[in-house]
């Protein structure tokens, strides 16, 4: 697909957006010198945020190559069973494989998408220009009021969102504390046109996993676990979906039943999302979450410098500070 067709199809609505819904990197030139400053993303300054994600794949080389060439991640570490990818020295995504890995059915609980948060809108536009020049197929694009988002999938069907937040001051909140979100058409051509005409060198410093969107079997059960057990606040509801966050972010975690209503716990050797990490900026908040797990007698164990447990659908998560 050439660039004109790529952008024409996406902005013309032929890509239906089915998905839910900053550090800021600025370059300033003074006296002929360029100074770079990085400001931590609002999503990552909250009491808790998503730190890393772990996917199980069948073809490690193919999938890793996609995240490197199409998303601009770099290999930080190689392990016996996989690779750790990230931006600079910051790990974001672990990919592993195993001989007994089996393809997860589309209606299984697990990953809906991993959402990579760009430092700012300019970096989102720069990535879009790169995607167009490399004929990357998109699944959708949406304006969510709080953010602008582009959707695609990796070679094994794992969903990906590339997005940039609008400034937090522009978000609208309801009296109950929930945030105003929507799924509107995103003008990809205008976004593309705003990109600087310069070489793209991969994901910029400050890129992070802004949120994870999960496929679950039941929304009330998801509310009971992510809100009532982990202590995240319910920030928004869509039909068949809930969005949870810490500290007033629009969402660090989404959960939907659009493909997976009634799904049971994942098998241990399924491809897709194996587990993820939740990082707490405040140890007291982490301690309160762990105390709640103990009080409710939810199975957990100390692992990798944190506390590991599984949600009701067998998706692992590690809480750490």
């Amino acid at each position: 697909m050439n660039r004109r067709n790529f952008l024409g199809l996406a902005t013309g609505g032929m890509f239906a957006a089915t998905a839910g819904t900053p550090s800021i990197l600025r370059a300033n030139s003074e006296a002929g010198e360029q100074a770079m400053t990085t400001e931590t993303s609002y999503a990552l300054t909250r009491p808790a945020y998503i730190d890393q994600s772990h996917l199980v794949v069948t073809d490690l080389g193919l999938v890793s190559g996609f995240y490197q060439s199409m998303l601009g991640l770099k290999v930080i570490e190689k392990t016996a069973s996989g690779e750790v990818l990230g931006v600079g020295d910051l790990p974001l995504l672990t990919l592993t494989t195993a001989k007994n890995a089996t393809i997860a059915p589309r209606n299984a609980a697990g990953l809906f998408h991993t959402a990579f948060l760009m430092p700012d809108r300019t970096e989102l536009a720069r990535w879009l220009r790169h995607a167009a020049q490399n004929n990357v197929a998109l699944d959708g694009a949406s304006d969510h009021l709080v953010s602008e988002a582009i959707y695609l999938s990796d070679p094994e069907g794992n969903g990906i969102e590339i997005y940039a937040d609008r400034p937090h001051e522009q978000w609208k909140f309801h009296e109950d504390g929930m945030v105003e979100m929507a799924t509107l058409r995103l003008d990809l051509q205008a976004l593309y046109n705003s990109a600087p005409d310069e070489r793209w060198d991969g994901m910029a410093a400050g890129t992070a996993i802004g949120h994870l969107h999960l496929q679950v079997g039941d929304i009330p059960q998801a509310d009971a676990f992510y809100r009532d057990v982990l202590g995240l606040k319910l920030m928004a509801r869509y039909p068949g979906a809930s969005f949870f966050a810490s500290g007033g972010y629009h969402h660090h975690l989404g959960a939907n039943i659009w493909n997976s209503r009634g799904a049971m716990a994942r098998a241990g050797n399924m491809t897709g999302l194996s587990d993820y990490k939740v990082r707490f900026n405040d140890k007291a908040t982490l301690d309160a979450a762990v105390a709640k797990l103990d009080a409710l007698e939810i199975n957990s164990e100390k692992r990798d410098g944190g506390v590991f447990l599984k949600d009701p659908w067998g998706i692992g998560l590690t809480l750490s500070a």
Side-chain angles (χ1 to χ4, degrees), residues 214-231:
L214 310 177
Q215 294 194 161
V216 301
D218 181 74
I219 292 302
Q221 193 173 10
D223 292 349
F225 182 80
Y226 287 103
R227 179 189 61 196
D228 302 335
V229 174
L230 291 190

Side-chain angles (χ1 to χ4, degrees), residues 93-140:
L93 180 67
T94 297
L95 301 174
T96 61
T97 189
K99 291 182 179 179
N100 68 339
T102 61
I103 301 294
R106 185 170 180 270
N107 62 351
L111 183 70
F112 192 64
H113 61 238
T114 304
F116 293 92
L117 174 60
M118 308 299 278
D120 53 32
R121 192 175 192 269
T122 297
E123 289 301 327
L124 180 64
R126 280 164 49 82
W127 179 83
L128 177 60
R129 182 183 286 266
H130 163 75
Q133 291 172 341
N134 288 274
N135 299 321
V136 177
L138 299 186
D139 297 334

Side-chain angles (χ1 to χ4, degrees), residues 40-55 90-94 111 113-117 163 206-214 225-226 230 232 243-247 249-255 273 275-281 311 315-321:
T40 303
S41 156
Y42 182 80
L44 308 187
T45 63
R46 306 299 84 206
Y49 62 94
I50 303 299
D51 191 25
Q52 298 179 43
S53 179
H54 172 202
L55 302 180
L90 178 67
L92 297 178
L93 180 67
T94 297
L111 183 70
H113 61 238
T114 304
F116 293 92
L117 174 60
Y163 79 111
T207 300
I209 294 180
H211 66 267
L212 285 177
H213 196 148
L214 310 177
F225 182 80
Y226 287 103
L230 291 190
L232 299 176
F243 299 89
F244 310 94
S246 169
Y249 190 55
H250 53 75
H251 66 295
H252 289 104
L253 282 170
L273 182 64
D275 58 89
Y276 60 95
K277 295 182 179 180
V278 178
R279 179 78 62 179
F280 288 78
N281 283 318
D311 75 6
I315 303 169
L317 58 153
T318 299
L319 312 179
S320 63

Side-chain angles (χ1 to χ4, degrees), residues 23-71:
S23 67
I24 301 175
L25 190 66
R26 295 187 177 93
N28 300 305
S29 179
E30 296 181 4
E33 296 183 358
Q34 188 178 63
M36 305 297 290
T37 61
T38 303
E39 180 181 325
T40 303
S41 156
Y42 182 80
L44 308 187
T45 63
R46 306 299 84 206
Y49 62 94
I50 303 299
D51 191 25
Q52 298 179 43
S53 179
H54 172 202
L55 302 180
V56 175
V57 301
T58 59
D59 190 329
L60 179 63
L62 177 66
V63 177
S64 177
F66 178 87
Y67 282 98
Q68 292 177 61
S69 62
M70 295 301 110
L71 268 69

Side-chain angles (χ1 to χ4, degrees), residues 188-210:
L188 282 179
Q189 188 67 59
L191 181 62
Y192 177 91
N193 291 344
S194 73
D197 188 11
E198 58 192 26
R199 185 171 178 268
W200 188 77
D201 291 321
M203 289 291 194
T207 300
I209 294 180

